[in-house]
């Protein structure tokens, strides 16, 4: 103790802001986290020393310095840099631009958050005009951000493939001067895909992503062509055929790309975690996104209540799926879940991995915006068509106008965990996020109750799992 006291005498430091909780009652260890994502486990004795501002142990002092829980002249620049890196997405500018060529769709998916118009709806009311399509691209390419991802969604974007081609060509031309890191993607249900469309998309470096819910009995339960005078037609066979076809087309051209696929978990999915993963492997897909249902749009309607489940039911499904993925990994199959990988990187490696749903504020406006078929601008795709989230129009507003509007500021503030006292006090706050649109649908107001949201439970699950593994090492060292 004499050596420690001699070392600490005259040490000048400040206590960093941190959140904490008693992590293990048996050993009386606390978990502490900082805003830049760093964490540390402290014994009750060490925690008392930190709280009182009288650190008496050299080893504890060095641990706290290394973790950035206390700030000295030696580490403050590093902590500032890590915090700036963590929140760099706020200074990068809006980079994801979701464009809706048409709000018409040929499917009638039971959980669709976009609530699209029927495919035979009046095009004058649902589709971009060529003039507005070009105006949107001009607006996107005038943004101050150094990167731009233009993502065509819907509706079903392939219903207006001509507009997709027109806008892609315009963006490439403008980027000869703008010199942005430009990426163009298409989210499609694949049902309207043709050989010539597929060839044009791949040859023009337009990434392709589709929805794929797993085996036929699950996929066809949710994702169907709705007809007026006939039974619904499932889309599994068409989607499966096109995934295989597109994967082969990439390979034939010597390209390393692959079809992106996302699945949505409905109640019908819960018993089929193995079959869903096996389908992805069978289709040569290396990444799976085991997403919970987004409570927006069609999923909120009474006739689709049978799709819903409690948070605990999803977590149980997710646990089983991750265990199966680990089993497959041990056998040599590298498939992984995107969200699990993101949390591992954020928590264990303390590296930023931007995901709009798990940031504070979320990506609404700051990371992404969505352009409707009339040129209206919304904070995100989930917000499409709701006046509460409309922030402008490409004909009447500039980038400066959009970010000077009170409704944009309101959207950003309402997606900040710091605005909710329960979230702001939570030790897992640096790794979590919320969806203000989903909250608005669920609670009928912007204020939300975190323990009733899926984001809260998913973050709790991942954080507990990862911190438990770290704490095992701490206990072994006791």
């Amino acid at each position: 103790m004499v050596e420690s006291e001699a070392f600490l005498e005259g040490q000048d430091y400040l206590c960093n802001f941190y959140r904490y909780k008693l992590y293990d009652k048996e050993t009386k260890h606390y978990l502490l986290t900082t805003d830049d994502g760093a964490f540390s486990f402290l014994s009750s004795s060490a925690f008392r020393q930190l709280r009182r501002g009288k650190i008496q142990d050299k080893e504890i002092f060095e641990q706290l310095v290394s973790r950035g829980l206390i700030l000295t002249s030696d580490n403050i620049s590093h902590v500032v840099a890590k915090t700036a890196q963590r929140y760099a997405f706020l200074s990068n500018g809006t980079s994801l631009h979701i464009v809706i060529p048409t709000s018409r769709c040929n499917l009638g998916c039971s959980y669709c958050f976009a609530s699209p118009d029927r495919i035979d709806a009046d095009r004058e009311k649902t589709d971009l005009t060529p003039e507005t399509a070009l105006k949107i691209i001009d607006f996107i390419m005038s943004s101050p951000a150094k990167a731009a991802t233009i993502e065509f969604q819907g509706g079903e974007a392939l219903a207006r493939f001509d507009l997709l081609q027109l806008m892609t060509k315009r963006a490439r031309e403008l980027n000869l001067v703008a010199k942005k890191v430009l990426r163009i993607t298409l989210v499609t249900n694949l049902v309207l895909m043709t050989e010539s469309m597929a060839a044009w998309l791949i040859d023009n470096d337009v990434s392709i992503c589709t929805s794929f819910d797993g085996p036929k009995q699950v996929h066809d339960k949710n994702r169907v062509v709705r007809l007026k005078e006939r039974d619904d037609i499932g889309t599994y066979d068409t989607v499966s055929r096109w995934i295989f076809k597109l994967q082969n087309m990439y390979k034939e051209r010597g390209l390393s790309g692959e079809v992106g696929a996302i699945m949505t978990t409905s109640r019908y999915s819960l018993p089929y975690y193995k079959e869903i993963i096996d389908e992805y492997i069978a289709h040569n897909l290396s990444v799976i996104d085991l997403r919970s249902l987004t409570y927006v749009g069609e999923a909120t309607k009474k006739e689709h209540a049978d799709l819903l489940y409690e948070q605990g039911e999803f977590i149980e499904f997710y646990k089983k799926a991750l265990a199966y993925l680990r089993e497959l990994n041990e056998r040599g199959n590298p498939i992984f879940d995107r969200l699990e990988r993101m949390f591992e990187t954020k928590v264990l490696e303390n590296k930023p991995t931007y995901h709009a749903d798990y940031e504070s504020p979320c990506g609404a406006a700051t990371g992404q915006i969505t352009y409707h078929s009339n040129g209206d601008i919304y904070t995100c795709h989930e917000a499409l068509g709701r006046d509460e989230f409309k922030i402008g129009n490409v004909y009447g507003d500039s980038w400066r106008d959009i970010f000077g509007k009170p409704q944009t500021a309101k959207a950003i503030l309402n997606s900040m965990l710091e605005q909710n006292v329960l979230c702001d006090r939570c030790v897992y706050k640096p790794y979590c996020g919320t969806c203000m649109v989903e909250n608005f649908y669920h609670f009928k107001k912007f204020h939300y109750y975190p323990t009733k949201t899926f984001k809260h439970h998913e973050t709790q699950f991942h954080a507990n799992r990862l911190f438990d593994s770290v704490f095992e090492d701490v206990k072994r060292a006791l």
Side-chain angles (χ1 to χ4, degrees):
M1 181 62 73
V2 173
E3 181 185 351
S4 288
E5 288 175 353
F7 170 79
L8 293 170
E9 187 175 348
Q11 288 284 350
D12 189 18
Y13 70 88
L14 293 171
C15 188
N16 195 0
F17 175 77
Y18 61 85
R19 298 172 178 86
Y20 69 93
K21 77 168 185 175
L22 178 61
Y23 197 82
D24 186 77
K25 292 182 180 179
E26 182 181 344
T27 63
K28 296 181 180 177
H29 269 72
Y30 288 80
L31 171 65
L32 287 72
T33 63
T34 61
D35 275 331
D36 68 70
F39 69 88
S40 188
F41 286 100
L42 293 181
S43 67
S44 57
S45 172
F47 185 55
R48 280 197 302 272
Q49 292 179 45
L50 176 65
R51 295 283 284 175
R52 292 171 181 171
K54 295 181 179 180
I55 301 171
Q56 300 169 326
D57 187 282
K58 178 181 177 181
E59 187 176 334
I60 292 171
F61 181 86
E62 290 176 342
Q63 177 186 348
L64 295 173
V65 169
S66 69
R67 291 292 183 169
L69 284 160
I70 59 177
L71 306 174
T72 70
S73 59
D74 293 329
N75 76 344
I76 190 167
S77 295
H78 175 73
V79 173
V80 169
K82 288 291 291 183
T83 306
Q85 183 186 43
R86 189 76 165 192
Y87 290 94
F89 66 92
L90 293 175
S91 59
N92 290 339
T94 308
S95 59
L96 175 57
H97 305 267
I98 298 173
V99 182
I100 312 298
T102 176
S103 59
R104 295 179 296 115
C105 188
N106 54 320
L107 300 194
C109 302
S110 51
Y111 51 57
C112 183
F113 63 73
S115 297
D117 295 298
R118 292 182 61 91
I119 194 67
D120 56 358
D122 184 354
R123 292 189 178 199
E124 290 188 5
K125 297 178 180 179
T126 60
D127 295 12
L128 285 174
T129 63
E131 177 192 12
T132 302
L134 294 176
K135 184 70 174 177
I136 288 172
I137 297 300
D138 292 349
F139 184 85
I140 292 170
M141 298 306 290
S142 70
S143 79
K146 294 179 181 179
T149 295
I150 299 172
E151 182 173 288
F152 298 112
Q153 290 211 33
E156 171 50 46
L158 288 183
R160 288 306 308 266
F161 188 65
D162 58 326
L163 292 177
L164 188 155
Q165 290 177 301
L166 177 70
M167 287 186 279
T168 298
K169 181 181 178 183
R170 178 65 153 241
R172 302 275 192 219
E173 289 173 350
L174 292 177
N175 204 41
L176 294 174
V177 175
K179 298 190 183 304
K180 296 181 185 292
V181 179
L182 179 63
R183 184 168 178 257
I184 300 178
T185 68
L186 165 67
V187 178
T188 171
N189 59 45
L190 289 177
V191 174
L192 299 181
M193 185 67 78
T194 66
E195 294 267 357
S196 60
M197 286 179 179
W200 187 91
L201 291 166
I202 293 174
D203 292 341
N204 284 273
D205 195 25
V206 178
S207 301
I208 303 169
C209 182
T210 193
S211 292
F212 188 46
D213 283 357
K216 186 178 177 70
Q217 66 267 33
V218 177
H219 184 96
D220 283 354
K221 190 74 175 178
N222 298 323
R223 304 191 58 79
V224 298
V225 177
R226 291 246 155 94
L227 302 173
K228 288 182 178 179
E229 298 177 358
R230 290 176 53 190
D231 293 337
D232 297 343
I233 300 174
T235 61
Y236 171 87
D237 292 336
T238 301
V239 173
S240 173
R241 175 170 57 84
W242 270 112
I243 291 175
F244 281 125
K245 176 68 176 175
L246 290 164
Q247 300 285 55
N248 286 333
M249 290 176 74
Y250 282 118
K251 188 175 180 180
E252 289 166 1
R253 287 163 169 76
L255 301 173
S256 58
E258 69 173 51
V259 179
I262 53 177
M263 63 85 60
T264 298
T265 306
S266 71
R267 173 166 289 282
Y268 305 124
S269 312
L270 299 180
Y272 297 103
Y273 64 93
K274 279 189 177 182
E275 291 84 352
I276 291 169
I277 294 169
D278 287 344
E279 281 288 334
Y280 271 65
I281 293 171
H283 287 79
N284 301 313
L285 297 167
S286 60
V287 183
I288 190 167
D289 203 342
L290 295 161
R291 303 189 310 161
S292 59
L293 193 70
T294 301
Y295 189 74
V296 174
E298 295 298 307
T300 66
K301 296 181 179 179
K302 289 183 179 179
E303 60 264 35
H304 296 144
D306 57 342
L307 299 175
L308 307 180
Y309 41 77
E310 298 297 323
Q311 292 99 339
E313 292 178 282
F314 174 76
I315 294 299
E316 192 59 33
F317 160 84
Y318 196 37
K319 283 181 183 176
K320 293 176 182 177
L322 293 184
Y324 184 50
L325 284 173
R326 282 191 286 275
E327 182 184 323
L328 291 169
N329 294 161
E330 289 170 2
R331 292 188 214 158
N333 192 302
I335 188 171
F336 65 90
D337 173 61
R338 192 187 309 276
L339 197 58
E340 181 186 36
R341 180 68 56 87
M342 183 209 74
F343 272 102
E344 288 174 350
T345 304
K346 274 185 107 169
V347 176
L348 299 182
E349 300 178 31
N350 193 16
K351 293 180 180 177
T353 56
Y354 182 75
H355 189 306
D357 292 344
Y358 293 91
E359 305 293 347
S360 177
C362 77
T366 59
Q368 65 165 298
I369 55 177
T370 297
Y371 306 84
H372 210 337
S373 50
N374 61 357
D376 282 344
I377 301 172
Y378 293 84
T379 56
C380 57
H381 195 189
E382 290 82 355
L384 198 66
R386 295 215 52 143
D387 289 342
E388 297 89 350
F389 307 104
K390 180 182 171 183
I391 57 175
N393 185 283
V394 294
Y395 283 104
D397 294 296
S398 67
W399 281 96
R400 184 178 293 275
D401 293 335
I402 285 175
F403 281 92
K405 291 187 177 185
Q407 55 263 48
T408 306
K410 182 179 180 181
I412 294 170
L413 285 170
N414 280 308
S415 70
M416 292 178 66
L417 299 179
E418 292 84 350
Q419 293 289 101
N420 187 295
V421 65
L422 293 177
C423 291
D424 193 40
R425 291 176 178 176
C426 179
V427 72
Y428 295 151
K429 183 263 171 188
Y431 318 109
C432 198
T434 193
C435 175
M436 62 161 180
V437 181
E438 194 168 15
N439 292 341
F440 191 81
Y441 269 88
H442 188 78
F443 301 110
K444 312 303 181 189
K445 56 185 177 181
F446 283 105
H447 180 75
Y448 64 96
Y449 306 95
T451 57
K452 295 182 180 180
T453 69
F454 273 82
K455 297 290 183 295
H456 166 87
H457 288 275
E458 289 169 11
T459 300
Q460 290 276 321
F461 166 73
H462 281 288
N464 286 334
R465 178 179 61 85
L466 294 170
F467 284 123
D468 281 350
S469 68
V470 174
F471 190 65
E472 285 300 313
D473 293 335
V474 174
K475 286 200 294 186
R476 280 192 288 268
L478 294 178

